[in-house]
Every structure is written in structure tokens, then in C-alpha cells.
């Protein structure tokens, strides 16, 4: 019994010191899981005063361009302008048979806009405190597809 008390005290001290050394790492690893992945692109901090526009497609629903009057869009006479509404804002895109180009991205109040582009895809994120909306267009080796996603509360 005379060895148990010092052993327990030394063990408790070692565990306490080890916890002080790793708690920030553990806390950082756990909190990183709850945040969305980092996204590169410009952040726009503007919100319009009035949001009385008609609702867009259901979240997560695929949308393909439907026929509409032709518009001149950077020389692409076959591009059609489409607007996609999400909880965080509205994105307008010029969609042709082989390309999608962002026309505008307007965040709702309390949201910021971040745009990321690469070959064959375009992503518009509306970032809020507890919610993120994403409008993602892809056209790499296939016809353009646009989907709206909602994350968070």
C-alpha cells in the first residue's frame, strides 16, 4: 500500500502534463471537422436591401439550361442566362453547350459570397455564420449541370 499512493500521484501528474501538451491539438482537430473545407476565391461583402425575387430550384436538384431567347454573352450567341436561388443568395450564370460563366452572385443579408473557378467547373458559395449555400456548375467532358447544395442549420 505504501507504493500505491506515490504511483497514483505520479501517474495523475504525468496524465495531466500530457493533456496540457496535446489539448490544443485535439481541440483543433475536433473543431476542424465541423467547419466546411477552405475555399479559395474573392469574398464579396454586399447584400441587397430587398429579396422579393421568385424562389429557385429545390436544394440539391440538378438543373439544365432550358431554351430561352438568345443573348450575346462574350461572343457565345448560344449562351442562356439562368438564375439559381439558394438560402444564402442568388447566382446568375451564362450557360452554353460547352461552357458556364458567372454573370452575378448576390448574397442575402448576413451572407458573404466566395467564387472558385477551374477548368470544367464553377462554384459559388454563400457563407453565413451557421449556414453555407453552394451553387456548383460542372461541364468537364459532359454537358453543363448546375446543382444547389445547402449545408448547416
Amino acid at each position: 500500500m505504501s507504493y500505491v499512493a506515490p504511483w497514483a500521484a505520479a501517474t495523475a501528474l504525468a496524465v495531466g502534463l500530457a493533456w496540457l501538451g496535446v489539448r490544443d491539438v485535439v481541440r483543433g482537430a475536433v473543431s476542424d471537422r465541423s467547419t466546411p473545407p477552405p475555399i479559395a476565391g474573392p469574398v464579396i461583402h454586399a447584400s441587397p436591401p430587398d429579396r422579393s425575387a421568385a424562389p429557385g430550384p429545390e436544394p440539391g436538384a440538378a438543373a439544365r439550361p432550358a431554351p430561352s431567347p438568345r443573348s450575346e454573352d462574350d461572343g457565345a450567341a448560344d449562351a442562356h442566362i439562368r438564375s439559381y436561388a439558394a438560402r444564402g443568395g442568388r447566382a446568375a450564370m451564362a450557360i452554353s453547350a460547352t461552357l458556364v460563366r458567372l454573370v452575378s452572385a448576390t448574397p442575402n443579408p448576413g451572407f458573404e459570397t466566395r467564387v472558385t473557378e477551374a477548368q470544367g467547373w464553377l462554384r459559388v458559395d454563400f457563407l453565413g455564420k451557421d449556414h453555407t449555400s453552394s451553387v456548383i456548375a460542372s461541364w468537364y467532358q459532359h454537358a453543363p449541370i448546375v446543382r444547389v447544395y445547402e449545408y448547416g442549420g
Side-chain angles (χ1 to χ4, degrees), residues 53-64 82-93 95 133-136 145-150:
E58 288 292 318
R64 293 189 184 267
R82 295 284 172 256
S83 181
Y84 299 91
R87 181 173 164 192
R90 181 175 294 276
M93 299 179 181
I95 302 173
S133 300
S134 298
V135 180
I136 302 173
I145 298 171
V146 180
R147 291 196 167 108
V148 178
Y149 297 94
E150 303 289 343

Side-chain angles (χ1 to χ4, degrees), residues 59-153:
R64 293 189 184 267
S68 71
R70 296 182 127 184
S71 63
E72 293 300 321
D73 183 70
D74 284 349
D78 62 340
H80 302 282
I81 307 297
R82 295 284 172 256
S83 181
Y84 299 91
R87 181 173 164 192
R90 181 175 294 276
M93 299 179 181
I95 302 173
S96 70
T98 59
L99 180 69
V100 177
R101 188 180 66 78
L102 182 64
V103 175
S104 69
T106 307
N108 286 338
F111 287 84
E112 298 176 352
T113 303
R114 188 169 289 162
V115 178
T116 308
E117 294 183 70
Q119 182 179 359
W121 64 273
L122 167 69
R123 178 176 181 149
V124 179
D125 290 300
F126 298 103
L127 308 165
K129 181 179 177 189
D130 297 322
H131 187 84
T132 298
S133 300
S134 298
V135 180
I136 302 173
S138 65
W139 63 95
Y140 184 74
Q141 297 182 346
H142 58 78
I145 298 171
V146 180
R147 291 196 167 108
V148 178
Y149 297 94
E150 303 289 343
Y151 310 98

Side-chain angles (χ1 to χ4, degrees), residues 1-41:
M1 197 59 149
S2 63
Y3 295 107
V4 174
W7 174 83
T11 302
L13 180 63
V15 169
L17 289 174
W19 175 247
L20 290 174
V22 299
R23 70 178 176 180
D24 291 334
V25 174
V26 171
R27 186 177 298 135
V30 171
S31 67
D32 283 348
R33 290 183 186 172
S34 64
T35 59
I39 306 163

